[in-house]
């Protein structure tokens, strides 16, 4: 139980940060599922279904792991990372629309934009530690001897 004033706000902020990061992960998994769903329904031939159904999510995974993941191999600037997120997550919303679910597509797009905006806000002002500050003393210790 926090004993400092304002400590509850820090704990609440951490909970929101954690919840938003969990939502981001679930959105990423949902995006892969939507891209695969679209791929397996696109085209007229079985080979095209298979290629797009497996290839589109695989391409999204490679793109995400190289540029947008927290431990990405390459560390481009924020604008490029946001562009990758827009391609993968926005592509998932477009895929939902393409398979005949326009309301779900709009809902996903709104949640993705909100989640990404909150994630960037939290990353710019991360929650501070809830550890109490070290006591400050004004006494000068006497030298030994």
């Amino acid at each position: 139980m926090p004993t400092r004033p304002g400590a509850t706000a820090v704990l609440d902020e951490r909970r929101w940060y954690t919840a938003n990061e969990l939502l981001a992960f679930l959105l990423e998994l949902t995006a892969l599922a939507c891209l695969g769903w679209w791929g397996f329904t696109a085209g007229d031939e079985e080979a095209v279904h298979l290629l797009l159904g497996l290839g589109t999510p695989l391409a999204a995974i490679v793109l995400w792991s190289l540029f947008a993941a927290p431990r990405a191999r390459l560390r481009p600037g924020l604008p490029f990372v946001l562009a990758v997120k827009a391609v993968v997550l926005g592509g998932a919303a477009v895929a939902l629309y393409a398979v005949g679910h326009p309301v779900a597509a709009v809902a996903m797009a709104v949640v993705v934009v909100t989640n990404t905006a909150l994630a960037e806000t939290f990353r710019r002002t991360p929650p501070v530690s809830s550890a109490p500050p070290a006591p400050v003393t004004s006494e000068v210790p006497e030298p030994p001897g």
Side-chain angles (χ1 to χ4, degrees), residues 15 20 41 45 62 87 91 94 111 138 143:
R15 287 184 187 132
N20 197 59
T41 61
E45 296 182 20
V62 169
V87 166
V94 170
V111 172
S138 59

Side-chain angles (χ1 to χ4, degrees), residues 25-39:
F25 179 67
L26 294 175
L27 285 170
E28 293 160 17
L29 293 178
T30 302
L32 295 176
C34 291
L35 291 169
W37 184 11
W38 168 81

Side-chain angles (χ1 to χ4, degrees), residues 6-142:
T8 303
V10 170
L11 291 177
D12 287 344
E13 188 176 323
R14 274 183 198 225
R15 287 184 187 132
W16 282 111
Y17 172 80
T18 302
N20 197 59
E21 290 297 310
L22 176 62
L23 177 60
F25 179 67
L26 294 175
L27 285 170
E28 293 160 17
L29 293 178
T30 302
L32 295 176
C34 291
L35 291 169
W37 184 11
W38 168 81
F40 282 118
T41 61
D44 294 330
E45 296 182 20
E46 200 65 33
V48 174
H49 291 302
L50 193 59
L51 182 65
L52 290 176
L54 297 175
T56 305
L58 182 61
I61 290 169
V62 169
L63 191 63
W64 195 274
S65 66
L66 286 176
F67 302 109
R71 294 184 181 166
R73 293 238 179 221
L74 306 172
R75 303 304 266 157
L78 181 61
F80 190 79
V81 171
L82 292 177
V84 169
K85 288 183 177 189
V87 166
V88 173
L89 299 173
V94 170
L96 264 179
Y97 185 84
V99 295
H101 295 281
V103 175
V106 170
M108 181 167 182
V110 168
V111 172
V112 163
V113 168
T114 304
N115 174 263
T116 303
L118 285 173
E120 292 310 316
T121 300
F122 280 131
R123 286 186 185 112
R124 293 187 192 287
T125 58
V128 294
S129 173
S130 60
V136 177
T137 60
S138 59
E139 296 179 21
V140 177
E142 293 185 30

